[in-house]
Amino acid sequence: MAVTSIAVIGAGAVGSYYGALLARAGHDVRFLLRRDLEAVRENGLQVHSPQGDFRLADARAFSTPQEIGVCDWVICSLKATALDDARALVAPCVAPGTRIVALMNGLGVEQRFAEWFGAERILGAMAFVCINRGDPGVVHHIDYGRLTIGHLTGNAAMLRDLDTLLTAASMDVTASPDLLRARWEKLCWNIPFNGLSVAGGGITTRRILDDPVLRETADRAMREVVTAANADLAAEGSAERLDEDGVLQAMFTQTDAMGPYRTSMVIDFVLGRPLEVEVILGNPARRARALGVSTPTIDTLYALVRAADLGRRGQRDVLSQADVIPN
Amino acid sequence: MAVTSIAVIGAGAVGSYYGALLARAGHDVRFLLRRDLEAVRENGLQVHSPQGDFRLADARAFSTPQEIGVCDWVICSLKATALDDARALVAPCVAPGTRIVALMNGLGVEQRFAEWFGAERILGAMAFVCINRGDPGVVHHIDYGRLTIGHLTGNAAMLRDLDTLLTAASMDVTASPDLLRARWEKLCWNIPFNGLSVAGGGITTRRILDDPVLRETADRAMREVVTAANADLAAEGSAERLDEDGVLQAMFTQTDAMGPYRTSMVIDFVLGRPLEVEVILGNPARRARALGVSTPTIDTLYALVRAADLGRRGQRDVLSQADVIPN
């Protein structure tokens, strides 16, 4: 196996986990770290997983992308709320032959990377994984782990290279010939469940599914996503389409089986972190509008989650009891 | 002037205020009271108002409708969340000649009274008033005060009687020949602004109007209300219609001028009280659906405000930080 150099930009739980698998497979993985920098330099990177714990004693930890330097691959696993910072963090690692994988949530992320670095080198990856950061330098992999990957412009050879790289590192990989379809398919779940879990005031998927009115709202939002997805696929010249009833049945069956699941967005919401509202709700809503597709349920969820995000970040006043008690 | 006997069932701020005006005009007004019963019996009922303070030293206060007995008029000013209790509280005051005024919010209230007491005696009233309860036995009238009234089945003579009764007591009254139209017209404001003020996490009308995405959501919700209203008016055989652009322009202009207004529903929300979600959002949404009118924005607001109501009342778990911090 050829040793490949890989920059992991934004090594939170997801980036650290997949980066650690690649490093364990023998690659030269260079992690850009912030919170965990000192801990990883001193004690390495530790992964707890039902598939076996392991420790990278000599994990390469960096505080700037300039120190990381040019790599064969860049995996950008920043939160989408930091997308505006991605260009400056990725650029120092990119030379003409470098390929970039956007391991991030939502719609429209690869397009930004394409603007900055050219579309021909851009791939996208979606993680279906349950994972947490523990103490500095420690990642807890709880369950799942599948990565769906695709190339922005459909370069099959480059997609195969990434598939080979990841699969050889023991990852469960699905290579999608149509990245746009894969992105929308994930949004079919993320838009209703991330949206309602936050707009509903901080609730689990179980609460959404058990409440007939919220469940119906999730159903309607999901149908709007499918309609927008199919319009987008048609507009982009793809022959792929999502099957509305099939998608709905699969998503609801799967989510019913998940128990009281806390979406990534509700966790961010409850902890007061910025929400990935623009890539998960805003970009799909705007794309639908540009295509002339009416998505009032998505639009309403977008408006409310955006308001919640601004409120949590102190950019919007929320009333307290003192504000409404008559004087 | 003939002295008329009037039962005020549910004498919160609104019922106490309008009842006090009727008593001051010389009528035999009998207040059904709970919290303020002892205070009113001891010290009478006091009204502070920019139109002049006054005190009813001998206000007639009762703790049961049986003690109140049969009256010429019953004004039911219960909160709509107590609508299920209204029948038992109103019935003891009703004889064949008694007329009943539902001074309550939302859609479908008079229809319930009609089921219980017969449609021919049912009128509705909507208060456009800013009013608060102060210490027990004290009501603070802040601003406005107009009452819009109508008869459920369009009995013009009975509507005139109520108009005369109220106008003679110094009230600002608009008698609407079409109660249904008047109800929907008020919903054009209440649905978007009550709904978004709560679903947005507890915000004022100013926050809704200043945020372009929330403002657009209010606009879309209001257009859905107009569409549902006109379908309902047509179905009920009314020749009246709401003019969409006219309604929107009037409502937004008026609300822009109101400053950081706290809707009645956001006040209930922040104080942890039950929300009037079924009459303001649920009934209009269900009525639209029965008429085949699509109202996805209203439906979504209904689902979220209903979830917030259940959450506030402890019937729905809301996640806390402890629920989402990795262990």
Side-chain angles (χ1 to χ4, degrees):
Chain A
M1 186 201 72
V3 170
T4 303
S5 58
I6 303 166
V8 176
I9 303 298
V14 170
S16 295
Y17 173 65
Y18 291 106
L21 291 178
L22 287 162
R24 188 180 62 169
H27 295 294
D28 170 18
V29 181
R30 308 173 195 174
F31 297 92
L32 181 68
L33 294 170
R34 211 168 35 188
R35 191 200 72 166
D36 292 7
L37 181 67
E38 290 311 316
V40 173
R41 280 184 171 164
E42 278 176 36
N43 305 311
L45 184 59
Q46 185 154 1
V47 174
H48 293 285
S49 170
Q51 281 138 43
D53 298 352
F54 65 96
R55 178 203 211 85
L56 295 177
D58 55 353
R60 303 188 67 189
F62 298 86
S63 64
T64 69
Q66 285 77 13
E67 297 169 71
I68 290 178
V70 166
C71 288
D72 299 318
W73 292 88
V74 174
I75 297 176
C76 181
S77 47
L78 293 166
K79 278 199 68 175
T81 50
L83 183 55
D84 289 338
D85 303 330
R87 181 180 195 166
L89 292 173
V90 167
C93 308
V94 176
T98 303
R99 289 165 287 183
I100 301 170
V101 184
L103 175 54
M104 299 170 75
N105 282 324
L107 193 74
V109 172
E110 291 88 2
Q111 286 73 9
R112 298 291 300 282
F113 283 94
E115 289 166 25
W116 301 328
F117 304 109
E120 69 286 354
R121 67 168 90 228
I122 309 298
L123 299 98
M126 282 151 275
F128 298 79
V129 65
C130 186
I131 207 164
N132 293 316
R133 295 214 286 192
D135 291 330
V138 181
V139 170
H140 295 272
H141 172 223
I142 314 294
D143 205 353
Y144 310 105
R146 183 164 55 85
L147 280 179
T148 296
I149 59 173
H151 188 279
L152 178 58
T153 60
N155 184 323
M158 212 181 285
L159 180 60
R160 208 174 314 118
D161 287 350
L162 180 61
D163 191 359
T164 303
L165 178 72
L166 302 177
T167 303
S170 309
M171 297 181 201
D172 173 14
V173 180
T174 301
S176 171
D178 193 319
L179 178 63
L180 188 63
R181 181 201 153 106
R183 283 281 177 204
W184 276 109
E185 208 161 3
K186 191 161 191 208
L187 289 168
C188 287
W189 194 91
N190 274 335
I191 286 175
F193 290 106
N194 278 286
L196 286 169
S197 66
V198 171
I203 55 178
T204 67
T205 55
R206 172 103 332 267
R207 294 289 161 195
I208 297 169
L209 296 171
D210 282 352
D211 179 325
V213 188
L214 289 176
R215 189 184 183 104
E216 183 188 272
T217 309
D219 182 289
R220 192 174 62 248
M222 204 180 288
R223 289 181 196 279
E224 290 180 4
V225 182
V226 172
T227 305
N230 286 339
D232 197 18
L233 290 165
E236 296 297 320
S238 167
E240 297 277 323
R241 295 292 182 274
L242 300 182
D243 169 53
E244 183 173 300
D245 290 336
V247 165
L248 267 89
Q249 206 190 325
M251 294 281 178
F252 277 94
T253 302
Q254 174 191 326
T255 314
D256 276 322
M258 278 162 62
Y261 184 79
R262 298 154 301 181
T263 67
S264 62
M265 198 180 266
V266 90
I267 292 173
D268 286 339
F269 172 70
V270 172
L271 296 179
R273 298 179 187 149
L275 307 180
E276 296 186 314
V277 56
E278 293 304 331
V279 293
I280 291 180
L281 291 156
N283 287 349
R286 283 183 283 269
R287 182 67 184 142
R289 178 163 309 192
L291 293 162
V293 174
S294 171
T295 55
T297 307
I298 301 173
D299 295 350
T300 305
L301 291 176
Y302 170 53
L304 293 171
V305 173
R306 182 177 172 278
D309 185 43
L310 294 170
R312 289 277 151 159
R313 289 153 70 188
Q315 293 172 31
R316 180 81 80 248
D317 295 339
V318 174
L319 294 167
S320 68
Q321 294 211 359
D323 294 320
V324 301
I325 290 175
N327 44 20
Chain B
M1 185 201 71
V3 171
T4 303
S5 58
I6 303 165
V8 175
I9 303 299
V14 170
S16 295
Y17 172 65
Y18 290 107
L21 292 178
L22 287 161
R24 187 179 63 169
H27 295 295
D28 171 17
V29 179
R30 307 173 197 174
F31 297 92
L32 182 69
L33 294 170
R34 211 168 35 189
R35 190 199 73 167
D36 292 9
L37 181 68
E38 291 311 316
V40 172
R41 281 184 170 163
E42 277 175 37
N43 305 312
L45 184 59
Q46 186 154 359
V47 174
H48 293 285
S49 170
Q51 281 138 44
D53 298 353
F54 65 96
R55 179 203 210 85
L56 296 176
D58 55 353
R60 301 189 67 189
F62 298 86
S63 65
T64 70
Q66 286 78 12
E67 298 169 70
I68 290 177
V70 167
C71 288
D72 299 319
W73 292 88
V74 174
I75 298 176
C76 182
S77 46
L78 293 165
K79 276 199 72 174
T81 49
L83 182 55
D84 290 337
D85 304 328
R87 181 180 196 167
L89 292 173
V90 166
C93 308
V94 175
T98 303
R99 289 165 286 185
I100 301 171
V101 184
L103 175 54
M104 298 170 76
N105 281 326
L107 193 73
V109 172
E110 291 88 3
Q111 286 73 9
R112 298 292 300 282
F113 283 94
E115 289 166 23
W116 300 329
F117 304 110
E120 70 286 354
R121 67 167 90 228
I122 309 299
L123 300 99
M126 282 151 274
F128 298 80
V129 64
C130 186
I131 206 163
N132 292 317
R133 295 214 287 193
D135 291 332
V138 181
V139 170
H140 295 272
H141 173 224
I142 314 295
D143 205 353
Y144 310 105
R146 183 162 56 82
L147 281 179
T148 295
I149 60 173
H151 188 279
L152 178 57
T153 61
N155 184 322
M158 213 181 286
L159 181 59
R160 209 174 312 116
D161 287 350
L162 181 61
D163 191 358
T164 304
L165 180 73
L166 301 177
T167 304
S170 308
M171 297 181 200
D172 174 15
V173 181
T174 301
S176 170
D178 194 319
L179 178 63
L180 188 63
R181 181 203 153 105
R183 282 281 178 204
W184 276 110
E185 207 161 2
K186 193 163 187 205
L187 289 168
C188 287
W189 194 90
N190 274 335
I191 287 175
F193 289 106
N194 277 285
L196 286 169
S197 67
V198 171
I203 55 177
T204 67
T205 55
R206 171 105 331 269
R207 293 291 161 195
I208 296 169
L209 295 171
D210 282 353
D211 179 326
V213 188
L214 289 176
R215 189 184 183 106
E216 183 188 272
T217 309
D219 183 289
R220 191 174 63 248
M222 203 180 289
R223 289 182 195 278
E224 291 180 3
V225 182
V226 172
T227 305
N230 286 339
D232 197 18
L233 289 165
E236 295 296 320
S238 167
E240 297 277 324
R241 295 293 181 274
L242 300 182
D243 169 54
E244 182 172 302
D245 289 337
V247 165
L248 267 91
Q249 205 189 327
M251 295 281 178
F252 277 94
T253 302
Q254 175 191 325
T255 313
D256 275 323
M258 279 162 61
Y261 184 79
R262 297 155 301 182
T263 68
S264 62
M265 198 178 267
V266 89
I267 291 173
D268 287 339
F269 173 71
V270 172
L271 296 178
R273 297 179 188 150
L275 307 180
E276 296 186 313
V277 57
E278 293 304 330
V279 295
I280 291 180
L281 291 156
N283 287 347
R286 284 183 283 268
R287 183 66 185 143
R289 178 163 309 191
L291 292 162
V293 174
S294 171
T295 55
T297 307
I298 300 174
D299 295 350
T300 305
L301 291 176
Y302 169 54
L304 294 171
V305 173
R306 183 176 170 279
D309 186 43
L310 293 170
R312 287 278 150 160
R313 290 153 70 188
Q315 294 172 32
R316 181 79 81 248
D317 295 338
V318 173
L319 294 168
S320 68
Q321 293 210 1
D323 295 320
V324 300
I325 290 175
N327 43 20

